[in-house]
């Protein structure tokens, strides 16, 4: 469409205010504004406007119909050891066959951390200060080496951090990964609207646009051609995780195996909630479908319900680690069989310009942002599998600058994990009552990325080194 047609389409849709300052813009700014305007699907905004109270997946379920989600428990917590072994073998076979790729969502704004740069470049390991991206790169490299098939790695970026992310990888020579196997996908954007559905301007020549949520990752996989690339490479399974969790097992054969043996299109990991009011989304069944209910949507009495054995009835916390079948991602992205993620609304303070073009810094929410959540896809998936994992081994997100889920807690949780591995190898390490070692130590994922691989590598060291302050094993 040319400029005239785009402007006319906006006027017909009642969104002519987007071009209110057209006469004041130079030609470069006009081109930028047109490019932004062309990115937006006006029909989508119109339908969101009509249904502003949108929710998606489980959020739309009736609370009184919710049931706890069935889950494969860890061995030692009721899980069947034979089933875990079978699953691990199936996952390992898929990895040896080269059928798995890694997928990190890193398009978020990271407002709570307040770090100036893409969150993945944040230094997080306790001794070497490796970045989150380096930790994942080394885990993915180690898995590729272990199974004899290097993996493709897809990283979801946003318009705001795409260049910086790609430059960061170039500057660090892709952490020795094959650069042809590391792919950056820019996610889509959604405009913010005011409470009457009018698209807001950030400047006189720019629309207030935000990333479309981690659910936008599915559209981005399709639009970027990533799904076609995967198909041509014989990869049918994606291991999905967030950029903020240094403990994550980027590639977990047992989890992959449960997904594959269960003939599932999407599977998720859960950790039991620690206390009833913990702020974590909960996997639940509603009308027979698996979904995630936000903690804020579940009444406190329901959060506190217990079973006869004293466990919380709704205890399956979402840690945002999923497996996606490639063709399921395509179906979700293209709307095949009516599958589509809904947008969620969030009322926010949106800085911008008023009708006269003057800057506005609102003191209370003045508009709505729209995001899709990837976990809403579960309710469209065939045979979704929910698998328990251990929080200590796999979940310590960096969300806030201080306090809970901060760089400090994530570094301490890594130290506790390294100390457990050393202890399992028979090395006496002094710790406090929480398992935190008194010496800073660090294990590179290239040495060992979980307890079994650590023990395998440690037992080959002869003689084993003396553990000392600042020790780094590579
Ligand atoms: P969060 O919900 O923690 O949001 O994202 P955030 O934007 O990173 O941080 P805050 O809320 O502004 O402090 C969870 C994961 O989803 C990714 C993030 O990068 C993170 O890995 N994400 C989130 C996207 O990739 N795109 C989005 O639009 C939103």
């Amino acid at each position: 469409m040319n400029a005239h047609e785009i402007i006319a389409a906006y006027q017909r849709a009642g969104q002519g205010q987007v071009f209110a300052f057209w006469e004041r813009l130079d030609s470069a700014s006009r081109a930028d504004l047109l490019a932004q305007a062309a990115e937006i699907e006006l029909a989508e905004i119109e339908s969101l406007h009509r249904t502003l109270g949108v929710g998606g997946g489980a959020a739309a379920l009736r609370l009184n119909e919710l049931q706890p989600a069935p889950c494969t428990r860890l061995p030692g917590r009721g899980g069947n050891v034979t089933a875990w072994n079978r699953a691990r073998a199936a996952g390992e076979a898929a990895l040896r066959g080269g059928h798995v790729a890694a997928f990190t969502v890193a398009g978020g704004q990271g407002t709570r951390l307040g770090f100036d740069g893409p969150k993945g470049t944040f230094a997080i390991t306790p001794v070497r200060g490796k970045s989150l991206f380096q930790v994942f790169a080394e885990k993915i490299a180690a898995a590729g080496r272990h199974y004899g098939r290097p993996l493709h790695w897809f990283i979801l970026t946003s318009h705001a951090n795409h260049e910086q992310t790609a430059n960061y990888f170039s500057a660090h020579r892709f952490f020795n990964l094959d650069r042809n196997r590391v792919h950056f996908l820019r996610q889509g954007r959604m405009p913010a609207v005011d409470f009457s559905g009018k698209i807001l301007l950030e400047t006189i020549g720019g629309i207030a646009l935000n990333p479309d949520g981690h659910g936008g990752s599915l559209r981005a996989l399709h639009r970027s051609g990533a799904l076609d690339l995967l198909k041509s490479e014989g990869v049918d399974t994606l291991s999905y995780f967030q950029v903020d969790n240094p403990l994550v097992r980027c590639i977990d054969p047992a989890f992959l195996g449960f997904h594959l043996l269960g003939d599932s299109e999407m599977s998720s990991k859960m950790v039991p909630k620690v206390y009833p009011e913990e702020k974590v989304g909960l996997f639940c069944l509603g009308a027979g479908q698996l979904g995630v209910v936000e903690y804020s949507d579940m009444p406190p009495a329901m959060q506190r319900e217990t079973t006869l054995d004293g466990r919380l009835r709704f205890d399956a916390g979402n840690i945002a680690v999923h497996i996606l079948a490639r063709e399921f991602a395509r179906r979700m992205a293209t709307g095949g069989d009516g599958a589509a993620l809904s947008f969620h609304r969030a009322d926010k303070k949106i800085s911008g310009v008023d009708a006269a073009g003057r800057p506005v810094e609102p003191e209370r929410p003045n508009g709505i942002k729209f995001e899709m959540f990837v976990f809403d896809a579960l309710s469209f998936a065939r045979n979704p599998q929910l698998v328990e994992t251990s929080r200590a081994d796999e979940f310590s997100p960096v969300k806030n600058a201080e306090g809970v889920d901060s760089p400090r807690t994530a570094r301490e949780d890594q130290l506790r994990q390294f100390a457990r591995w050393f202890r399992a190898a028979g090395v006496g390490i002094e710790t406090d009552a929480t398992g935190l070692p008194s010496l800073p130590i660090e294990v590179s994922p290239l040495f060992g990325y979980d307890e079994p691989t650590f023990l395998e590598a440690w037992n080959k060291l002869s003689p084993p080194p003396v553990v000392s302050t600042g020790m780094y094993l590579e």
Side-chain angles (χ1 to χ4, degrees):
M1 282 206 281
N2 63 30
H4 178 72
E5 286 166 340
I6 293 176
I7 297 171
Y10 269 71
Q11 279 161 346
R12 274 197 308 279
Q15 300 287 5
Q17 78 287 352
V18 166
F19 294 96
F21 306 104
W22 185 251
E23 297 306 327
R24 285 162 58 180
L25 302 178
D26 60 24
S27 59
S29 307
R30 284 182 176 183
D32 287 347
L33 180 59
L34 284 171
Q36 290 185 351
E39 231 182 84
I40 296 170
E41 288 205 28
L42 285 171
E44 186 164 78
I45 304 305
E46 168 61 15
S47 71
L48 288 176
H49 173 208
R50 277 189 273 110
T51 52
L52 278 182
V54 287
L61 297 170
R62 280 202 283 278
L63 285 173
N64 58 3
E65 289 175 358
L66 288 185
Q67 295 292 326
C71 158
T72 299
R73 295 282 169 182
L74 281 169
R77 287 186 33 91
N80 176 317
V81 179
T82 315
W84 276 84
N85 288 341
R86 219 176 19 234
R88 189 168 302 104
E92 289 183 339
L95 287 161
R96 277 195 297 273
H99 301 309
V100 181
F103 185 25
T104 309
V105 286
Q109 292 168 309
T111 348
R112 285 168 288 172
L113 180 62
F115 168 63
D116 183 20
K119 203 188 253 191
T121 66
F122 188 82
I124 199 60
T125 67
V127 173
R128 286 295 170 102
K130 289 179 190 172
S131 67
L132 285 152
F133 278 138
Q134 183 170 357
V135 172
F136 306 141
E138 292 181 355
K139 290 186 182 186
I140 291 165
R145 210 172 53 189
H146 195 82
Y147 296 105
R149 293 294 287 258
L151 290 102
H152 282 276
W153 182 18
F154 294 85
I155 300 171
L156 186 76
T157 61
S158 66
H159 280 69
N161 70 21
H162 184 86
E163 309 295 336
Q164 270 178 298
T165 303
N167 291 342
Y168 175 78
F169 274 81
S170 293
H172 291 85
R173 294 202 203 84
F174 288 74
F175 303 104
N176 295 327
L177 291 169
D178 173 358
R179 62 176 59 210
N180 296 317
R181 287 177 184 268
V182 181
H183 315 270
F184 305 100
L185 324 175
R186 205 191 291 252
Q187 72 176 101
R189 297 190 283 189
M190 284 294 284
V193 301
D194 69 13
F195 292 123
S196 60
K198 299 279 183 212
I199 293 173
L200 289 166
L201 289 179
E202 190 172 85
T203 61
I204 60 167
I207 298 172
L209 288 164
N210 312 287
D212 56 3
H214 41 64
S217 59
L218 303 178
R219 289 179 175 189
L221 280 171
H222 171 61
R223 205 180 36 230
S224 64
L227 296 176
D228 293 333
L229 171 72
L230 289 171
K231 191 170 182 190
S232 68
E233 295 273 300
V235 177
D236 49 25
T237 306
L238 284 153
S239 180
Y240 169 111
F241 54 93
Q242 296 192 161
V243 75
D244 52 22
N245 179 13
L247 288 191
V248 70
R249 283 198 185 126
C250 304
I251 300 296
D252 178 349
F255 182 37
L256 284 163
F258 279 117
H259 169 87
L260 294 168
L261 294 176
D263 186 28
S264 166
E265 287 184 310
M266 178 170 178
S267 300
S268 301
K269 278 192 182 169
M270 66 73 103
V271 296
K273 247 196 329 184
V274 194
Y275 53 94
E277 297 79 21
E278 190 182 356
K279 292 184 174 170
V280 60
L282 289 172
F283 291 103
C284 298
L285 273 191
Q289 288 174 331
L290 186 61
V292 173
V293 175
E294 295 281 27
Y295 61 86
S296 46
D297 289 335
M298 187 177 274
M302 217 166 156
Q303 295 180 14
R304 285 194 295 267
E305 277 178 41
T306 49
T307 56
L308 288 177
D309 61 2
R311 287 191 194 184
L312 288 172
R313 182 158 175 259
F314 293 98
D315 83 330
N318 175 22
I319 58 166
V321 178
H322 310 286
I323 307 273
L324 294 161
R326 183 194 68 221
E327 292 309 310
F328 175 64
R330 195 190 305 274
R331 184 153 68 82
M332 290 305 305
T334 55
D337 299 337
L341 294 181
S342 306
F343 280 91
H344 292 250
R345 86 179 258 176
D347 295 2
K348 298 271 182 184
K349 292 185 267 185
I350 296 157
S351 310
V353 292
D354 66 13
R358 287 180 304 247
V360 184
E361 282 299 336
E363 280 169 9
R364 59 181 74 86
N366 61 327
I368 301 165
K369 288 185 179 179
F370 296 105
E371 281 193 339
M372 288 175 280
F373 297 158
V374 76
F375 50 72
D376 282 339
L378 281 167
S379 59
F380 295 96
R382 187 182 68 238
N383 302 332
Q385 305 291 309
L386 186 59
V387 180
E388 183 179 15
T389 189
S390 133
R391 183 185 295 250
D393 280 328
E394 191 149 8
F395 186 54
S396 186
V398 180
K399 297 281 188 197
N400 307 305
E402 280 167 11
V404 287
D405 296 343
S406 64
R408 179 161 165 220
T409 55
R411 284 188 196 111
E412 290 182 352
D413 286 339
Q414 291 170 78
L415 286 167
R416 289 188 183 93
Q417 186 179 57
F418 299 141
R420 283 195 302 278
W421 295 353
F422 277 104
R423 285 186 152 186
V427 181
I429 290 232
E430 240 179 73
T431 65
D432 68 10
T434 70
L436 185 65
S438 44
L439 333 164
I441 42 176
E442 181 173 328
V443 179
S444 164
L446 297 168
F447 182 86
Y449 54 91
D450 57 12
E451 193 174 300
T453 51
F454 172 82
L455 292 177
E456 197 184 314
W458 180 265
N459 291 333
K460 284 188 193 144
L461 298 177
S462 161
V466 176
V467 179
S468 56
T469 292
M471 180 176 194
Y472 173 69
L473 268 184
E474 191 167 25

